[in-house]
Amino acid sequence: MKTLTITRPDDWHIHVRSGAVLKTVLAHTARQFARAIIMPNLKPPVTTVAQALTYRDEILRAVPVGVDFTPLMTLYLTGATTAAEIKAAAESDAVYAFKLYPAGATTNSDAGVADITAIYPALAAMEKHNLPLLIHGEVTDEQCDIFDRERVFVDTHLRAIVEHFPNLRTVLEHVTTTEAVQFVQTAGDTIAATITPQHLLFNRNAVLAGGIRPHYYCLPIIKRERHRLALLAAATSGNPKFFLGTDSAPHLTSLKETACGCAGCYSAHAALELYAEAFERADALDKLEGFASFYGADFYRLPRNTGTVTLEKNSWTVPAFYGENGLSITPLKAGEALSWKLQHYQS
Ligand code: NCD
Ligand code: ZN
C-alpha cells in the first residue's frame, strides 16, 4: 500500500471550544498534530494571560492519555487590551500570539476591534515584545460584498498595518483570494499566511450550487475557482510564507442546519488527509511536509518537531457526525470517501 511519512505537523490555527465540544474534538487534533495555535474566541473571549492558563489546563485535561500534544495559546485583542497584558503575555510560557478580529466579522467576534487604528499602541507593544499578530482579514462594512471583504481588508487595513509596523510578525489567517496571496508573496519576511483544507479543495459551488450546503459555509467564505487555484499554487510552491492552519471550527449540527446557519467547517477529524488529497491532486505531495511541518514552526521561531506521522492510501468513509449523548458535529465530507488515512504517529 502506498504510504507517506512526514515529520509530525502542527496546526497554526484551530478552534477547539470548551466543555463537551472540546472533549469531542480534541483527540482528533492531538493525534495528528504535535502543537496547535488555539483561537481565543470563546464566549467570553480569552483576553488575559490568566484566562489563557485556565483554558490551557482545560485543553490539557482533554488530551487522551499517552498522546503528546501542546496547545499554544493566543489572546483576543480588544480595544481595551493594555500594554501590561501584552508584556505579561510575552513573558509567559503559554501565550504565543494575539488575534485580531474586526468586530462582528465572524463567529464570536462581537468583542473584537471596531477601529483598527485605535489599537495601534497595542500593535506597537506587540512589535516591541516580539509577539506575532494573527489577523482575521475581512472588513465588516455591510455595504461590502461578502466575496470582496478580504480583498478590501488587505488593501485598506493590512497594507497600513504592515507599513506602520515593519518588524511585527503578522499572519493573515485563512487566506482565500488571489489578492491576499499576492500581498503576502510581495510583502517582507515578517508577513505570512495560513491556508485551510476547504479553501484548497473547494470553490464556492460547493457552498451554493445545487442547494445551500451549510457545512461548507465558513468565513472568509469559499471563493471562485481562480482563487482556489491561486491558493493551491501558493501552498504547493514551497514558499515558507504559506503554512498549514485548518481553521477547524466545530459547531453543533443544529446550529449549522437552520434558517441562519453559523460559520465554520469542522475538519480536525481528517485534517492531514484532506490536505494530502489537495496536494496529491496538484501532483505536489513532496511539498506537503514543508507546508505542514516546517514553515509554521520556523515563522513562530519554535523548534521543528522530531516525530513522524504516516498516512496510507486507503479509502475510508467519514462518519455522518461526531459526538455522543445527543451532541452532534457534522464533519467536512460527512458520509463521503477520503483516499488517505492517518496510520500512526511517533512522537
Ligand atoms: C470560526 C469559528 O467558528 O469560530 N468560523 C469560521 O467560519 N472560520 C471563526 C473564524 O475563524 O472566522
Ligand atoms: Zn478561525
Side-chain angles (χ1 to χ4, degrees):
M1 189 175 297
K2 189 169 161 188
T3 62
L4 174 70
T5 297
I6 61 170
T7 301
R8 214 166 158 227
D10 304 301
D11 186 345
W12 298 102
H13 180 129
I14 191 168
H15 305 263
V16 295
R17 318 299 189 202
S18 61
V21 173
L22 171 68
K23 289 191 186 121
T24 304
V25 301
L26 195 74
H28 288 160
T29 290
R31 65 161 206 235
Q32 297 216 333
F33 298 101
R35 299 170 289 202
I37 282 278
I38 308 293
M39 286 297 126
N41 63 332
L42 299 185
K43 274 184 182 168
V46 181
T47 55
T48 65
V49 176
Q51 287 171 326
L53 289 171
T54 306
Y55 185 28
R56 184 175 69 165
D57 284 346
E58 190 192 354
I59 294 169
L60 287 172
R61 283 196 299 275
V63 176
V65 177
V67 174
D68 156 42
F69 172 74
T70 307
L72 309 175
M73 309 311 290
T74 62
L75 296 189
Y76 188 113
L77 205 49
T78 74
T81 303
T82 61
E85 199 66 48
I86 293 167
K87 183 164 181 283
E91 286 166 359
S92 83
D93 64 354
V95 176
Y96 288 80
F98 273 84
K99 176 69 189 266
L100 165 56
Y101 287 103
T106 185
T107 306
N108 299 350
S109 64
D110 300 350
V113 173
D115 174 2
I116 294 182
T117 52
I119 56 139
Y120 273 17
L123 302 191
M126 290 169 51
E127 184 179 45
K128 176 172 148 207
H129 292 291
N130 206 4
L131 264 178
L133 169 68
L134 317 181
I135 302 183
H136 182 109
E138 288 193 288
V139 293
T140 52
D141 177 2
E142 280 185 15
Q143 306 302 315
C144 184
D145 190 280
I146 186 166
F147 287 96
D148 296 333
R149 288 180 183 186
E150 181 178 274
R151 179 173 59 75
V152 174
F153 183 92
V154 168
D155 265 348
T156 52
H157 300 295
L158 187 59
R159 222 173 269 289
I161 290 172
V162 169
E163 265 170 37
H164 271 84
F165 304 101
N167 297 315
L168 178 61
R169 275 180 294 149
T170 302
V171 184
L172 184 57
E173 300 287 351
H174 39 54
V175 284
T176 64
T177 56
T178 312
E179 291 84 355
V181 165
Q182 279 167 355
F183 179 85
V184 172
Q185 280 167 339
T186 52
D189 286 346
T190 51
I191 313 304
T194 52
I195 307 182
T196 78
Q198 64 267 24
H199 292 102
L200 291 176
L201 285 166
F202 308 112
N203 64 36
R204 64 195 200 175
N205 282 358
V207 194
L208 294 169
I212 293 177
R213 289 190 204 81
H215 300 297
Y216 290 84
Y217 174 64
C218 68
L219 291 171
I221 195 163
I222 299 176
K223 308 293 192 299
R224 47 167 86 236
E225 180 66 2
R226 73 180 173 86
H227 297 290
R228 185 186 75 84
L229 292 173
L231 297 167
L232 195 58
T236 59
S237 66
N239 182 340
K241 284 167 160 275
F242 298 95
F243 45 84
L244 185 158
T246 60
D247 194 22
S248 177
H251 288 280
L252 298 182
T253 302
S254 57
L255 297 178
K256 300 266 315 160
E257 296 177 3
T258 179
C260 184
C262 53
C265 297
Y266 183 63
S267 61
H269 63 294
L272 266 186
E273 291 94 330
L274 290 162
Y275 282 110
E277 201 144 313
F279 275 62
E280 186 177 41
R281 273 193 226 153
D283 200 17
L285 270 180
D286 60 321
K287 296 293 199 308
L288 183 61
E289 186 176 41
F291 175 82
S293 315
F294 295 159
Y295 307 148
D298 296 350
F299 185 85
Y300 277 85
R301 301 184 183 159
L302 293 169
R304 293 178 179 182
N305 297 317
T306 50
T308 59
V309 289
T310 298
L311 296 170
E312 61 184 21
K313 196 81 187 281
N314 188 0
S315 177
W316 60 291
T317 303
V318 176
F321 70 94
Y322 289 99
E324 45 192 37
N325 302 326
L327 188 153
S328 166
I329 293 162
T330 305
L332 213 54
K333 291 220 152 202
E336 292 180 53
L338 284 178
S339 54
W340 288 93
K341 187 157 184 38
L342 186 79
Q343 192 188 44
H344 68 266
Y345 82 89
Q346 240 171 349
S347 56

